[in-house]
Amino acid sequence: EAAVTQSPRNKVTVTGGNVTLSCRQTNSHNYMYWYRQDTGHGLRLIHYSYGAGNLQIGDVPDGYKATRTTQEDFFLLLELASPSQTSLYFCASSEGSSNSDYTFGSGTRLLVI
Amino acid sequence: GDSVTQTEGLVTLTEGLPVMLNCTYQTIYSNPFLFWYVHYLNESPRLLLKSSTDNKRTEHQGFHATLHKSSSSFHLQKSSAQLSDSALYYCALSNTGNYKYVFGAGTRLKVIA
């Protein structure tokens, strides 16, 4: 079954810490996305990619890096985590046409203390 | 740029009453694609329904929506709310050649007995 798998499910780190969130999709989709979900703001796009080695800047990229190592794997990196990055992070994939559905992962809840 | 507006942050309804969640959008393009995603607690957001056809009702799982280009709206409706409908609902927009959605801020629907 096609899926998007995120790890870890929960993460606690200290301010200034280094965090990597992982996402793997088995949908053979070209596009992958990283979103953060915050009350009152909904889903906000951090970075996205249309293939291995490609990276596109989203709407709220500050403080985040991302890397797409393969068709399947997309990583989100927080190199100096701050409390403002405490959030629920979702990875998603899509075929990449305008009417394509997104398949979302189950989310990673990050707490920066 | 494109934008999606969901005016209600929280909608609280008694079971059995009709549901209407508002979604309006702005785009300069004439053929937008509109989506409703539903996010149940501790699950992944998933597609509820989508449309790109003007004035055509789209239905799924008891919910329905009609894209009205004249008013730039895609409101989500259901005739009778159930407790299990309690969730976060997102309206989203994409356009031809654009491979990332624009999400609204989301509406939390709380159905009470």
Side-chain angles (χ1 to χ4, degrees), chain A residues 1 3 34 37 43 61 74 90 112:
Chain A
E1 181 179 311
W34 276 107
Q37 183 187 71
L43 290 164
F74 194 31
F90 284 102
V112 183

Side-chain angles (χ1 to χ4, degrees), chain A residues 31 33 37 96 98-100 102, chain B residues 37 44 50 90 94 99 101:
Chain A
Y31 279 74
Y33 311 83
Q37 183 187 71
S98 306
N99 64 344
S100 294
Y102 278 19
Chain B
Y37 278 77
S44 307
K50 65 181 180 181
Y90 287 106
S94 74
Y99 307 118
Y101 292 172

Side-chain angles (χ1 to χ4, degrees), chain B residues 4 10 15 18-19 32 34 38 44-45 51 60 66 69 83 93 95 99 103 107:
Chain B
V4 173
L10 171 65
E15 191 177 18
V19 178
L34 273 294
V38 59
S44 307
S51 180
H60 187 61
T66 303
K69 292 184 180 180
L83 294 174
L93 163 75
N95 280 295
Y99 307 118
F103 281 96
T107 296

Side-chain angles (χ1 to χ4, degrees), chain A residues 29-30 49-55 67-73:
Chain A
H29 285 166
N30 292 321
S49 165
Y50 57 72
N54 175 263
L55 180 65
T67 179
R68 180 91 175 266
T69 54
T70 65
Q71 178 81 349
E72 295 78 21
D73 297 302

Side-chain angles (χ1 to χ4, degrees), chain B residues 33-68:
Chain B
F33 296 87
L34 273 294
F35 305 80
W36 277 101
Y37 278 77
V38 59
H39 183 201
Y40 297 103
L41 189 62
N42 296 323
E43 295 185 13
S44 307
R46 60 178 174 81
L47 181 70
L48 183 56
L49 45 80
K50 65 181 180 181
S51 180
S52 60
T53 306
D54 199 12
N55 298 317
K56 181 180 177 181
R57 176 171 163 144
T58 299
E59 299 191 38
H60 187 61
Q61 294 186 327
F63 287 89
H64 63 93
T66 303
L67 176 59
H68 292 296

Side-chain angles (χ1 to χ4, degrees), chain A residues 13-68:
Chain A
T13 191
V14 296
T15 300
N18 210 319
V19 176
T20 298
L21 307 185
S22 302
C23 178
R24 166 165 282 203
Q25 57 107 355
T26 58
N27 305 324
S28 300
H29 285 166
N30 292 321
Y31 279 74
M32 295 185 74
Y33 311 83
W34 276 107
Y35 286 88
R36 59 178 291 174
Q37 183 187 71
D38 304 287
T39 303
H41 294 280
L43 290 164
R44 293 183 290 175
L45 182 63
I46 304 170
H47 292 298
Y48 66 107
S49 165
Y50 57 72
N54 175 263
L55 180 65
Q56 302 293 316
I57 305 299
D59 301 320
V60 289
D62 293 346
Y64 301 96
K65 293 184 179 179
T67 179
R68 180 91 175 266

